[in-house]
């Protein structure tokens, strides 16, 4: 197959900038920064790394105002973590849902470096009555979503973490991505890394951290990025948090034509919010019951990274075929067969069939587009 060179990113929206990683180009464990999806709600703010101070205020004994040099002098940590936008895969919902029509590329896996949020919380001394930590970005704008919630003026992008997550080693105040200082698109000079949780919690252009003694009810906490929870009987809206278990096929792509009798490597990635991936299964047939076979997994390089997987398949029958993949995590959670009614337009982790065509070898030899 001809090389596509630098395939770049798919523009989902120009203002504000929203870019999707073409997941079919997945080729390495870490997603390069210039291939990493971008999800913005407002124009990218300019934060001057010299003048800027990260403030930590609220229910703390010693409020902090830290410059970049102060942050670099504190203990550092680094890990690989997958970040998936809660809207990844929205295009597969039926009927169509409002919102950016992400296919399967609003996800990436990078190495993040910075100061654990727990270090800052310890420095500041959290009050006994505190319950959450609100992370606030420097970007702001008016929200008018037609749901009677138009904001009276510009509001900042903000989300909260419960104290136990905020204090866990999963959360970094990061200044670098894949060993390079954060780029403007990815939140320079500082962003939150909230390993295990959907991207909306990973606040970019982080300028303010506020410890609060009652649950935060900001717009992106309560009016967006939620799901229905029926655990208490009557369904209630709860903020999205942990990523659902998920696997995706990178190659072959939907519509691919495959040579009959020639082995093809089915490849992809899999991840889950706060548990390891223990298995990825692949099925290559359309007929039920599906014959699921284990894929080979390249383990993650730590608790938060995705796993890459592959499965070798030699098609033997010309005609249409359906590829599916399904991951299972250490809690036993696996991907559902169908879309989940309680997830509004988020958390799309059900099994997405990829339809391909197997062509006889003689026909294949005449066709450049066959892989
Ligand atoms: N300040 C701020 N932080 C933000 C956002 C934003 O619009 N503003 N978008 C969030 C969402 S929904 C996602 S999925 C991730 C995307 O991060 P990326 O653009 O670096 O991929 O950032 C999150 N952090
Ligand atoms: Mo997102």
């Amino acid at each position: 197959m001809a090389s596509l060179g630098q395939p770049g990113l798919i523009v989902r929206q120009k203002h504000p900038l929203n870019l999707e990683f073409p997941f079919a180009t997945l080729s390495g464990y870490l997603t390069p920064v210039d291939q990493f999806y971008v999800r913005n709600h407002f124009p990218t703010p300019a934060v001057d790394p010299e003048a800027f101070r990260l403030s930590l205020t609220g229910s703390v004994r010693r409020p902090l105002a830290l410059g970049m040099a102060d942050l670099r002098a504190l203990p550092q940590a680094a890990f690989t973590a997958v970040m998936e936008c809660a809207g990844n895969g929205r295009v597969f919902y039926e009927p169509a849902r409002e919102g950016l029509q992400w296919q399967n590329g609003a996800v990436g896996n990078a190495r993040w470096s910075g100061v654990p949020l727990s270090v800052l919380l310890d420095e500041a001394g959290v009050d006994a009555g505190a319950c959450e930590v609100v992370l606030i970005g420097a970007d702001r704008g008016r929200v008018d979503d037609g749901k009677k919630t138009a904001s009276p003026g510009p509001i900042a992008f903000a989300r909260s973490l419960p104290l136990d997550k905020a204090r866990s080693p999963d959360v970094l105040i990061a200044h670098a991505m894949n060993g390079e200082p954060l780029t403007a698109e990815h939140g320079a000079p500082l962003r939150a890394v909230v390993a295990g949780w959907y991207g909306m919690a990973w606040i970019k252009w982080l300028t303010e951290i506020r410890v609060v003694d009652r649950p935060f009810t900001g717009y992106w906490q309560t009016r967006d990025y939620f799901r229905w929870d029926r655990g208490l009987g009557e369904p209630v809206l709860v903020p999205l948090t942990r990523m659902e278990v998920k696997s995706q096929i990178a190659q072959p792509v939907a519509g691919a034509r495959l040579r009959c009798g020639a082995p093809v490597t089915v490849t992809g990635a899999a991840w889950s919010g706060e548990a390891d991936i223990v298995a990825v299964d692949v099925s290559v047939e359309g007929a039920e019951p599906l014959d699921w076979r284990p894929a080979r997994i390249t383990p993650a390089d730590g608790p938060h990274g995705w796993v890459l997987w592959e499965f070798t398949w030699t098609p033997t029958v010309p005609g249409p075929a359906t590829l599916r993949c399904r991951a299972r995590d250490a809690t036993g959670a696996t991907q559902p067969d169908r879309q989940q009614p309680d997830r509004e337009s988020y958390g799309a982790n059900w099994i997405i069939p990829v339809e391909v065509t197997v062509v006889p070898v003689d026909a294949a030899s005449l066709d450049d587009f066959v892989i």
Side-chain angles (χ1 to χ4, degrees), residues 237-307:
L237 286 177
V238 294
L240 287 176
T241 57
R242 234 181 37 237
M243 294 182 291
E244 303 285 342
V245 60
K246 187 160 174 178
S247 61
Q248 296 187 159
I249 295 175
Q251 289 286 342
V253 295
R257 289 155 59 78
L258 310 173
R259 278 192 184 88
C260 195
V264 54
T265 308
V266 184
T267 61
W271 60 92
S272 186
E274 289 172 347
D276 291 345
I277 293 293
V278 294
V280 177
D281 299 321
V282 173
S283 118
V284 297
E285 286 146 46
E288 312 260 352
L290 300 174
D291 180 19
W292 291 99
R293 302 284 176 88
R296 288 181 301 280
I297 291 177
T298 309
D301 72 352
H304 310 303
W306 66 17
V307 302

Side-chain angles (χ1 to χ4, degrees), residues 30 72 78 87-88 93 139 203 221 245 272 276 340 346 367:
L30 294 182
R72 281 178 206 284
N88 189 36
Y93 268 101
D139 53 332
I203 301 298
Q221 195 79 23
V245 60
S272 186
D276 291 345
Q340 304 291 293
Y346 302 110
D367 187 339

Side-chain angles (χ1 to χ4, degrees), residues 37 39 41 84-88 102 106 157 198-201 225 346:
Y37 81 96
R39 172 65 179 113
H41 294 75
E84 181 187 17
C85 180
N88 189 36
W102 302 110
F157 192 84
Y198 283 116
M200 76 275 132
Y225 298 114
Y346 302 110

